[in-house]
Amino acid sequence: MQRTREKTDKMEESKATRKLRVCVATCNRADYSKLAPIMFGIKANPDEFELEVVVLGSHLIDDYGNTFRMIEQDDFDIGSKLHTIVRGEDEAAMVESVGLALVKLPDVLHRLRPDVLVVHGDRFDALALATAAALMNIRILHLEGGEVSGTIDDSIRHAISKLAHYHACCTRTAEQHLIAMCEDHTRILLAGCPSYDKLLAAHHRDDYMDIIRNWLGDNVKEHDYIVALQHPVTTDIKNSIKIYELMLDALISFNKKTLVLFPNIDAGSKEMVRVMRKKGVEQHPNFRAVKHVPFEQFIQLVCHAGAMIGNSSCGVREAGAFGTPVINLGSRQTGRETGENVLHVRDADTQNKIYHALELQFGKRYPCSKIYGDGNAVPRIMKFLQTIDLDEPLQKTFCFPPVKEWDISQDIDHILETQSALAVDLGGTNLRVAIVSMRGKIVKKYTQANPKTYEARIELILKMCAEAVFDAVHLNCRILGVGVSTGGRVNPQEGVILHSTKLIQEWSSIDIRTPISDALHLPVWVDNDGNCAALAEKKFGHGKGVENFVTIITGTGIGGGIIQHNELIHGSTFCAAELGHIMVSLDGPECMCGSHGCIEAYASGMALQKEAKRLHDEELLEVEGMVDLKAESVSAIHLINAARLGNRKAEAVLRTAGMALGVGIVNILHMVNPSLVILSGVLAAHYQAPVQQVIGQRALTSAQHIQVLTSDLEEPALLGAASMVLDYTTRRIY
């Protein structure tokens, strides 16, 4: 028995210390950009993994740049090089190439004996790899399954998914497609695209202009050139060649510096190259035609291009991370999820149509998109690989027919990676940033004093946001975007603060969206703090499910937002719902806006503080029960406390303030006829009763029944900023 126990212990120890032997097979320059980050991740963990690299396909063909050399330059040992391409570049050659690969692969896989084979995407070479591994009882991890793009690629991709044992997909939609295909959801990882790990980390390079000039010449400028990459559509070769010809004609007419990459090795590529040479592209002064660009340099070229055109998946996937405008031609990417940076020209049947698309897109910049990844795919995949149990049965089991519910975790530790927003509240005193979950929970909050200058303020915003994004990974939160709440007048369409409050200096005509989006690679939404308070109530508060309501912020100033037919009202010049500046008296006290008799001049915290100081100076504020006050410390709270203790002068001030606010709200009721009024902010509880009383006395009969509630939300500005992100990103259809 002792010997048996020792033998069992040794077996368990051996199992615990055994390395996972992972074979990564790459077929072309495109799939290597997705596989390389994983290969680096495996190589960086030698105590847990053994890496084997197999190279085949167009990597080994001179006409396509002999791109296997870049794998060697990355210091990977290539275990096997398989010449598997049968030349001809037609449909029959593709079939013969698959057959040749299937003849050669068994010897290689038998020699390497990997525990797991990592296969990417939807190429015919990858289908041969998956077929061979499945028949040889080797576990397969498939990257980027579940996506929809059109053409024969869809069929190949889905076939590989059915052969694969594990899946690392890029988007939630792709994950749901795999589940709908009856794949076991416990073996599906929503990781994001591995190439995003590299491109998001490497695109900010100081030498990017040197790279651009190296490929396009010394006279080229940033955002003033085009990257063109068009591949054949194997199910419609004739039409794809026609589109390619029309694209080149349009680019010649458009007269901009253009980097043209050769098409991939699919059937029809030779005809496309003939068209390119017939047009004289390789000799044209505006064009540079190349077979291959190293991925790190290609990132810079796409990031800083004035536009990208063609039908490459890079245009609808990676380019979105930079906000680069893209023109997607034809049907090759039909069904792909895309950001707003992509303009589709599916029926690209004339040169003029493509030329017009170039006119519309060239030189624009769009919010950065993270549809396909957030830069943390490789750590997730490494963690996923570590959980593979080699003692589990190899035979796949399919799940018929249940679809995974949203609240069931796809993560390895069965912890749902919470969809969250980054919320920024730019106040007159403090700058606050928070990670906010889909349910309105503030996961973590950061607060700093708001700097006085523009440069210091922008620097601090970016620093705090970067810290929050870093923390979000460890808090298991997936940041979908950034929402910014700020005082003053805002153009939410452009993400520009037009005019801010006097409390926030040097903050007019400021594009706040671009620097945040560029730094974090996240889409950014910006709006006025009053509008954000209304959005917070709509998603998380009393306004949830209410079609028409008004929110009034009662704080340092008076602001608010109006929801009509479930939509926020902004107005023609973005100054709708400036509720604090509704005039309730022609000769009232002066307001900070320069006018007289505004609600804010009566009922804001600053107005009450002003009155409190006046009473203090006249020695009329303090009553029995109040501590001695110094003039510099007098605030609105002291006025409220004095009134509560029976000070009639303080009571009169609050009564006037409540009356002014109530009259202003009656005007709002008569203008937009909401079904609910929500008071928010530190003074809301003090104003609820007097406002309800004024409505009962002064509103039209039809409006007297409208209820006034005080908000239950502790952080309306932050929650409203978050709601812009959470609502938009989760309801959006690309």
Short mmCIF file of all heavy atoms in Angstrom, two decimals, residues 131-163:
data_model
loop_
_atom_site.label_atom_id
_atom_site.label_comp_id
_atom_site.label_asym_id
_atom_site.label_seq_id
_atom_site.Cartn_x
_atom_site.Cartn_y
_atom_site.Cartn_z
N THR A 131 -7.89 19.66 -40.16
CA THR A 131 -8.31 18.32 -40.57
C THR A 131 -7.27 17.27 -40.14
O THR A 131 -7.62 16.23 -39.56
CB THR A 131 -8.50 18.26 -42.10
OG1 THR A 131 -9.47 19.24 -42.49
CG2 THR A 131 -8.96 16.88 -42.54
N ALA A 132 -6.01 17.58 -40.41
CA ALA A 132 -4.95 16.63 -40.04
C ALA A 132 -4.89 16.43 -38.53
O ALA A 132 -4.80 15.30 -38.03
CB ALA A 132 -3.61 17.13 -40.57
N ALA A 133 -4.96 17.52 -37.76
CA ALA A 133 -4.86 17.42 -36.31
C ALA A 133 -6.04 16.66 -35.72
O ALA A 133 -5.87 15.82 -34.82
CB ALA A 133 -4.77 18.81 -35.69
N ALA A 134 -7.25 16.94 -36.22
CA ALA A 134 -8.43 16.26 -35.70
C ALA A 134 -8.35 14.76 -35.94
O ALA A 134 -8.68 13.95 -35.06
CB ALA A 134 -9.69 16.85 -36.33
N LEU A 135 -7.90 14.38 -37.13
CA LEU A 135 -7.80 12.95 -37.44
C LEU A 135 -6.67 12.26 -36.67
O LEU A 135 -6.70 11.04 -36.49
CB LEU A 135 -7.60 12.77 -38.94
CG LEU A 135 -8.81 13.15 -39.81
CD1 LEU A 135 -8.44 13.12 -41.29
CD2 LEU A 135 -9.98 12.21 -39.54
N MET A 136 -5.70 13.04 -36.21
CA MET A 136 -4.58 12.46 -35.45
C MET A 136 -4.76 12.64 -33.94
O MET A 136 -3.82 12.48 -33.17
CB MET A 136 -3.26 13.10 -35.90
CG MET A 136 -2.90 12.78 -37.35
SD MET A 136 -1.32 13.49 -37.85
CE MET A 136 -0.17 12.51 -36.88
N ASN A 137 -6.00 12.97 -33.53
CA ASN A 137 -6.33 13.09 -32.10
C ASN A 137 -5.47 14.13 -31.37
O ASN A 137 -4.99 13.90 -30.26
CB ASN A 137 -6.23 11.74 -31.39
CG ASN A 137 -7.32 10.79 -31.84
OD1 ASN A 137 -8.44 11.22 -32.12
ND2 ASN A 137 -7.00 9.52 -31.93
N ILE A 138 -5.26 15.26 -32.03
CA ILE A 138 -4.54 16.39 -31.43
C ILE A 138 -5.56 17.49 -31.13
O ILE A 138 -6.36 17.86 -31.99
CB ILE A 138 -3.44 16.91 -32.36
CG1 ILE A 138 -2.38 15.82 -32.60
CG2 ILE A 138 -2.80 18.18 -31.79
CD1 ILE A 138 -1.39 16.16 -33.68
N ARG A 139 -5.51 18.01 -29.94
CA ARG A 139 -6.45 19.06 -29.55
C ARG A 139 -6.17 20.33 -30.34
O ARG A 139 -5.00 20.70 -30.54
CB ARG A 139 -6.34 19.34 -28.04
CG ARG A 139 -6.70 18.14 -27.19
CD ARG A 139 -6.29 18.33 -25.74
NE ARG A 139 -6.34 17.06 -25.02
CZ ARG A 139 -7.41 16.58 -24.41
NH1 ARG A 139 -8.52 17.30 -24.39
NH2 ARG A 139 -7.38 15.42 -23.80
N ILE A 140 -7.24 21.03 -30.74
CA ILE A 140 -7.12 22.21 -31.59
C ILE A 140 -7.72 23.41 -30.88
O ILE A 140 -8.84 23.36 -30.37
CB ILE A 140 -7.87 22.00 -32.93
CG1 ILE A 140 -7.33 20.77 -33.67
CG2 ILE A 140 -7.77 23.25 -33.81
CD1 ILE A 140 -8.22 20.30 -34.80
N LEU A 141 -6.94 24.50 -30.83
CA LEU A 141 -7.46 25.80 -30.38
C LEU A 141 -7.60 26.68 -31.61
O LEU A 141 -6.62 26.98 -32.30
CB LEU A 141 -6.50 26.45 -29.38
CG LEU A 141 -6.81 27.91 -29.01
CD1 LEU A 141 -8.18 28.04 -28.35
CD2 LEU A 141 -5.73 28.49 -28.10
N HIS A 142 -8.84 27.10 -31.89
CA HIS A 142 -9.13 27.89 -33.09
C HIS A 142 -9.31 29.35 -32.69
O HIS A 142 -10.11 29.67 -31.81
CB HIS A 142 -10.41 27.37 -33.76
CG HIS A 142 -10.74 28.07 -35.04
ND1 HIS A 142 -12.04 28.20 -35.49
CD2 HIS A 142 -9.96 28.67 -35.96
CE1 HIS A 142 -12.03 28.84 -36.63
NE2 HIS A 142 -10.78 29.14 -36.94
N LEU A 143 -8.59 30.23 -33.36
CA LEU A 143 -8.72 31.67 -33.13
C LEU A 143 -9.67 32.29 -34.15
O LEU A 143 -9.63 31.94 -35.33
CB LEU A 143 -7.36 32.36 -33.25
CG LEU A 143 -6.22 31.87 -32.37
CD1 LEU A 143 -4.98 32.71 -32.61
CD2 LEU A 143 -6.61 31.93 -30.91
N GLU A 144 -10.50 33.21 -33.67
CA GLU A 144 -11.39 34.03 -34.52
C GLU A 144 -12.50 33.21 -35.16
O GLU A 144 -12.99 33.55 -36.24
CB GLU A 144 -10.60 34.80 -35.59
CG GLU A 144 -9.63 35.79 -34.97
CD GLU A 144 -8.96 36.70 -35.99
OE1 GLU A 144 -9.35 36.68 -37.17
OE2 GLU A 144 -8.04 37.43 -35.60
N GLY A 145 -12.94 32.16 -34.49
CA GLY A 145 -14.11 31.45 -34.97
C GLY A 145 -15.38 32.23 -34.67
O GLY A 145 -15.39 33.17 -33.88
N GLY A 146 -16.47 31.84 -35.32
CA GLY A 146 -17.76 32.44 -35.07
C GLY A 146 -18.03 33.73 -35.81
O GLY A 146 -19.14 34.26 -35.75
N GLU A 147 -17.04 34.25 -36.53
CA GLU A 147 -17.25 35.51 -37.25
C GLU A 147 -17.92 35.25 -38.58
O GLU A 147 -17.92 34.13 -39.10
CB GLU A 147 -15.91 36.24 -37.43
CG GLU A 147 -15.30 36.66 -36.10
CD GLU A 147 -14.03 37.46 -36.26
OE1 GLU A 147 -13.78 37.99 -37.36
OE2 GLU A 147 -13.27 37.55 -35.28
N VAL A 148 -18.49 36.30 -39.13
CA VAL A 148 -19.18 36.21 -40.42
C VAL A 148 -18.57 37.24 -41.34
O VAL A 148 -18.47 38.42 -40.99
CB VAL A 148 -20.69 36.47 -40.27
CG1 VAL A 148 -21.38 36.44 -41.63
CG2 VAL A 148 -21.31 35.45 -39.33
N SER A 149 -18.16 36.82 -42.54
CA SER A 149 -17.51 37.77 -43.45
C SER A 149 -17.94 37.62 -44.90
O SER A 149 -17.55 38.41 -45.74
CB SER A 149 -15.99 37.60 -43.36
OG SER A 149 -15.62 36.31 -43.81
N GLY A 150 -18.70 36.60 -45.22
CA GLY A 150 -19.05 36.39 -46.62
C GLY A 150 -18.00 35.54 -47.33
O GLY A 150 -16.94 35.22 -46.78
N THR A 151 -18.27 35.14 -48.57
CA THR A 151 -17.41 34.33 -49.45
C THR A 151 -17.16 32.95 -48.87
O THR A 151 -17.73 32.56 -47.86
CB THR A 151 -16.05 35.03 -49.75
OG1 THR A 151 -15.18 34.89 -48.63
CG2 THR A 151 -16.23 36.49 -50.07
N ILE A 152 -16.24 32.20 -49.52
CA ILE A 152 -15.93 30.83 -49.10
C ILE A 152 -15.26 30.81 -47.73
O ILE A 152 -15.26 29.79 -47.03
CB ILE A 152 -15.00 30.15 -50.16
CG1 ILE A 152 -14.89 28.64 -49.92
CG2 ILE A 152 -13.62 30.80 -50.15
CD1 ILE A 152 -16.19 27.90 -50.07
N ASP A 153 -14.71 31.97 -47.32
CA ASP A 153 -14.04 32.04 -46.01
C ASP A 153 -14.99 31.63 -44.89
O ASP A 153 -14.56 30.99 -43.91
CB ASP A 153 -13.51 33.45 -45.75
CG ASP A 153 -12.40 33.84 -46.69
OD1 ASP A 153 -11.95 32.96 -47.45
OD2 ASP A 153 -11.98 35.01 -46.68
N ASP A 154 -16.26 32.03 -44.97
CA ASP A 154 -17.22 31.66 -43.93
C ASP A 154 -17.32 30.15 -43.78
O ASP A 154 -17.28 29.61 -42.68
CB ASP A 154 -18.61 32.22 -44.27
CG ASP A 154 -18.82 33.61 -43.70
OD1 ASP A 154 -17.99 34.05 -42.90
OD2 ASP A 154 -19.81 34.25 -44.07
N SER A 155 -17.45 29.46 -44.89
CA SER A 155 -17.59 28.00 -44.85
C SER A 155 -16.36 27.35 -44.25
O SER A 155 -16.45 26.42 -43.44
CB SER A 155 -17.84 27.46 -46.26
OG SER A 155 -19.03 28.01 -46.81
N ILE A 156 -15.17 27.84 -44.66
CA ILE A 156 -13.93 27.26 -44.13
C ILE A 156 -13.81 27.54 -42.63
O ILE A 156 -13.47 26.65 -41.84
CB ILE A 156 -12.72 27.82 -44.89
CG1 ILE A 156 -12.75 27.36 -46.36
CG2 ILE A 156 -11.41 27.41 -44.23
CD1 ILE A 156 -11.65 27.95 -47.21
N ARG A 157 -14.11 28.78 -42.24
CA ARG A 157 -13.99 29.15 -40.83
C ARG A 157 -14.90 28.29 -39.97
O ARG A 157 -14.50 27.78 -38.92
CB ARG A 157 -14.33 30.63 -40.65
CG ARG A 157 -14.10 31.14 -39.23
CD ARG A 157 -14.59 32.56 -39.05
NE ARG A 157 -14.08 33.44 -40.06
CZ ARG A 157 -14.84 33.97 -41.02
NH1 ARG A 157 -16.13 33.69 -41.08
NH2 ARG A 157 -14.31 34.77 -41.90
N HIS A 158 -16.15 28.12 -40.39
CA HIS A 158 -17.10 27.34 -39.60
C HIS A 158 -16.72 25.86 -39.59
O HIS A 158 -16.93 25.16 -38.58
CB HIS A 158 -18.53 27.51 -40.13
CG HIS A 158 -19.01 28.94 -40.10
ND1 HIS A 158 -18.54 29.85 -39.19
CD2 HIS A 158 -19.91 29.60 -40.88
CE1 HIS A 158 -19.13 31.02 -39.40
NE2 HIS A 158 -19.97 30.88 -40.41
N ALA A 159 -16.14 25.38 -40.69
CA ALA A 159 -15.69 23.98 -40.73
C ALA A 159 -14.56 23.76 -39.72
O ALA A 159 -14.53 22.75 -39.00
CB ALA A 159 -15.23 23.62 -42.14
N ILE A 160 -13.63 24.71 -39.64
CA ILE A 160 -12.54 24.60 -38.67
C ILE A 160 -13.10 24.64 -37.25
O ILE A 160 -12.65 23.90 -36.37
CB ILE A 160 -11.50 25.73 -38.89
CG1 ILE A 160 -10.83 25.57 -40.26
CG2 ILE A 160 -10.45 25.72 -37.79
CD1 ILE A 160 -9.94 26.74 -40.65
N SER A 161 -14.10 25.50 -37.03
CA SER A 161 -14.71 25.58 -35.69
C SER A 161 -15.30 24.24 -35.28
O SER A 161 -15.23 23.85 -34.11
CB SER A 161 -15.80 26.66 -35.66
OG SER A 161 -15.25 27.95 -35.80
N LYS A 162 -15.91 23.53 -36.22
CA LYS A 162 -16.51 22.22 -35.88
C LYS A 162 -15.44 21.17 -35.60
O LYS A 162 -15.68 20.21 -34.87
CB LYS A 162 -17.43 21.74 -37.01
CG LYS A 162 -18.59 22.66 -37.33
CD LYS A 162 -19.32 23.18 -36.11
CE LYS A 162 -20.03 22.08 -35.34
NZ LYS A 162 -20.73 22.63 -34.14
N LEU A 163 -14.24 21.35 -36.18
CA LEU A 163 -13.15 20.41 -35.92
C LEU A 163 -12.41 20.75 -34.62
O LEU A 163 -11.80 19.88 -34.01
CB LEU A 163 -12.14 20.44 -37.09
CG LEU A 163 -12.64 19.86 -38.42
CD1 LEU A 163 -11.68 20.22 -39.54
CD2 LEU A 163 -12.80 18.35 -38.32
#
